Amino acid sequence: MSRKHRDFTFSAPIVSADDPHANTIASAIVAIEAQCGEREGWNRPSRLFTLRLLPGDRVETALYPEAIWNPGGVNPADALRGLSSSLPPVPDLLLPADAAQAPVCAVGFMFEGWMRDTTVSLPPDVERLRQMGMRVNHLLPNRREVRLVHAVDLNQRTFHVKRHRGGEADVRVAGGRDDAAGPEGTVSLALARIMHAMRNGEQVIPGQPA
């Protein structure tokens, strides 16, 4: 099974930044959530993808089926962490690179999960499970289903799209590293390492050109 290229129609720029390509990348990621996520519906497999900038503010997207990067069928966030575990961390000092000249300008991950109200204390038995390192949000009656898209570009800018089921998409773009805790942090840190390895010309995802 191989990667699949898709074209997406994306909206006007949504973020202003010194990097002239940031708006294009951000808008493409929003379009992926809307057209490959919301339009196709919920309860879909997680999707790992890369972006490449083309002339005329166009974006080529390569989608990698889960069977490629998660052959063991484990939790997708854990599979992504495993994929990045042997990669070196991103250095503190990173010289800017031109996204337009890179074969891959960003790597992203779209997945679904459960979120909880962090202002409400967990029941004692559930809290014990959480302390043991287990995922517990799916056990809670007040859980909310959410679709998340996390992406990191070759300069380590992070892009996040979050949509609660039945709601509107919330978009966040940050200029630096993402230090989020929990599964979201696991994904962001893994993507950061994967993108940095791709920037250095390494083949990280099976089927990804070196």
Side-chain angles (χ1 to χ4, degrees):
M1 194 174 295
S2 62
R3 59 185 179 146
K4 179 173 61 175
H5 292 284
R6 290 188 59 168
D7 293 326
F8 294 91
T9 302
F10 42 88
S11 60
I14 60 170
V15 58
S16 177
D18 294 335
D19 184 341
H21 305 301
N23 291 341
T24 302
I25 295 172
S27 297
I29 291 165
V30 169
I32 287 171
E33 190 282 327
Q35 299 175 37
C36 192
E38 186 66 6
R39 182 182 296 175
E40 295 184 8
W42 290 77
N43 303 318
R44 302 279 292 173
S46 300
R47 278 151 283 188
L48 182 65
F49 60 89
T50 57
L51 301 180
R52 182 168 74 98
L53 294 181
L54 300 175
D57 289 332
R58 294 182 298 130
V59 177
E60 179 184 80
T61 305
L63 298 171
Y64 296 86
E66 190 169 350
I68 289 179
W69 49 270
N70 187 12
V74 300
N75 181 281
D78 292 339
L80 203 65
R81 178 171 56 187
L83 189 65
S84 67
S85 61
S86 62
L87 302 176
V90 182
D92 293 332
L93 180 61
L94 193 65
L95 296 178
D98 184 0
Q101 302 301 317
V104 173
C105 69
V107 60
F109 189 59
M110 179 160 61
F111 60 108
E112 298 174 12
W114 298 103
M115 301 196 74
R116 65 182 177 91
D117 184 353
T118 56
T119 64
V120 178
S121 299
L122 295 174
D125 55 337
V126 177
E127 176 60 27
R128 282 194 295 271
L129 294 175
R130 190 188 72 83
Q131 293 292 339
M132 294 168 59
M134 299 178 63
R135 294 180 174 87
V136 299
N137 288 357
H138 65 287
L139 302 174
L140 302 173
N142 63 342
R143 64 187 183 272
R144 298 186 65 187
E145 194 170 9
V146 64
R147 181 188 300 112
L148 299 162
V149 184
H150 290 193
V152 178
D153 72 5
L154 80 172
N155 291 313
Q156 295 295 307
R157 179 182 285 109
T158 59
F159 306 80
H160 292 175
V161 180
K162 178 190 296 184
R163 185 193 297 269
H164 290 101
R165 190 161 190 163
E168 297 297 321
D170 176 65
V171 183
R172 180 165 59 92
V173 180
R177 314 286 170 80
D178 191 303
D179 296 322
E184 294 187 48
T186 298
V187 168
S188 293
L189 293 174
L191 290 176
R193 288 191 175 198
I194 291 170
M195 181 66 255
H196 186 64
M198 289 182 178
R199 169 176 162 148
N200 291 335
E202 296 183 37
Q203 185 183 45
V204 182
I205 307 171
Q208 170 222 335

